[in-house]
Amino acid sequence: MKNIVCLISGRGSNLEAILAVQRSARWGERLGARVAAVVANRGDAPGLDIARRHGVDTAVVAHRDYPDRAQFDAALGVVIDRHEPALVVLAGFLRVLTPLLVERYQGRMINIHPSLLPAFGGLDTHRRALDEGVRVHGATVHYVSGALDAGPIIAQAALAVAPDDTEQALAARVLALEHVLLPRCIEWILQGRVRLEGGRVHSTGLGADQLLLRDA
Ligand code: GRF
């Protein structure tokens, strides 16, 4: 079985979407893969309950318990490595990782970010998108590299920003796209249709329409 380890910090709606697709698309039988563990950096992350409800192993590595990022990352690495993951998914994980972990999981670690990168890395992406008046906004799944919210892009989801959009409305529409985009990218990687080579994303048999998801 190929193990997937998901890292979360909070709500866990992307995790829930992954677990729903794992079940409905029969990842176990079709891909020989499953979410083996969910690791949170906060003991009160609601997403931990989602994992437990699905019978997935959980662990907490609380960043507050460590004096610096390096020691937090070392502890996190030990917990992740227990599962010998084929893929590590940052599914709403709000900590910056040090090169130690980024290098260890190079080509095996992906992140979802709620903007069309390279625009709007960091926090408050929907408010900033509205403030800038952009007409197109969305979400990005990318391999994790050393820089924050950067790294080779696997796929994006895009939607039109309405003139009267509010931050909440926009966030909800982007989130609904995230829930489709992230499981899809995981599946492609597990199928070997997407991989990182020489710092670039290579995809096999995937058209532009699949790599760019559009709001209906
Ligand atoms: C999502 O918007 C994701 O793109 C970002 O953090 C949020 C996590 O939401 N990285 P959830 O915990 O998956 O509900």
Side-chain angles (χ1 to χ4, degrees), residues 119-141:
F120 309 121
L123 298 174
D124 297 326
T125 55
H126 309 304
R127 187 184 47 71
R128 287 158 60 209
L130 288 174
D131 287 349
E132 291 292 342
V134 294
R135 294 292 166 231
V136 59
H137 183 49
T140 302
V141 175

Side-chain angles (χ1 to χ4, degrees), residues 73-104:
D73 275 16
L76 187 59
V78 169
V79 172
I80 296 172
D81 280 350
R82 268 185 214 144
H83 302 279
E84 299 180 8
L87 185 64
V88 179
V89 179
L90 308 188
F93 185 69
L94 305 179
R95 300 293 298 170
V96 177
L97 296 172
T98 63
L100 174 89
L101 285 195
V102 172
E103 278 159 28
R104 185 174 332 171

Side-chain angles (χ1 to χ4, degrees), residues 7-17 46-47 50 90-94 111-115 122-123 125-126 138-140 149 171 174-175 178-179 182:
L7 306 190
I8 62 165
S9 295
R11 181 176 55 183
S13 71
N14 276 288
L15 170 70
E16 195 160 28
I50 295 172
L90 308 188
F93 185 69
L94 305 179
N111 180 45
I112 182 150
H113 181 76
S115 78
L123 298 174
T125 55
H126 309 304
T140 302
D149 296 327
V174 172
L175 192 64
E178 291 183 39
H179 294 164
L182 183 56

Side-chain angles (χ1 to χ4, degrees), residues 8 15 19 37-38 46-58:
I8 62 165
L15 170 70
L19 292 171
V38 172
L48 287 168
D49 282 332
I50 295 172
R52 290 185 197 113
R53 276 209 304 277
H54 283 78
V56 178
D57 251 27
T58 59

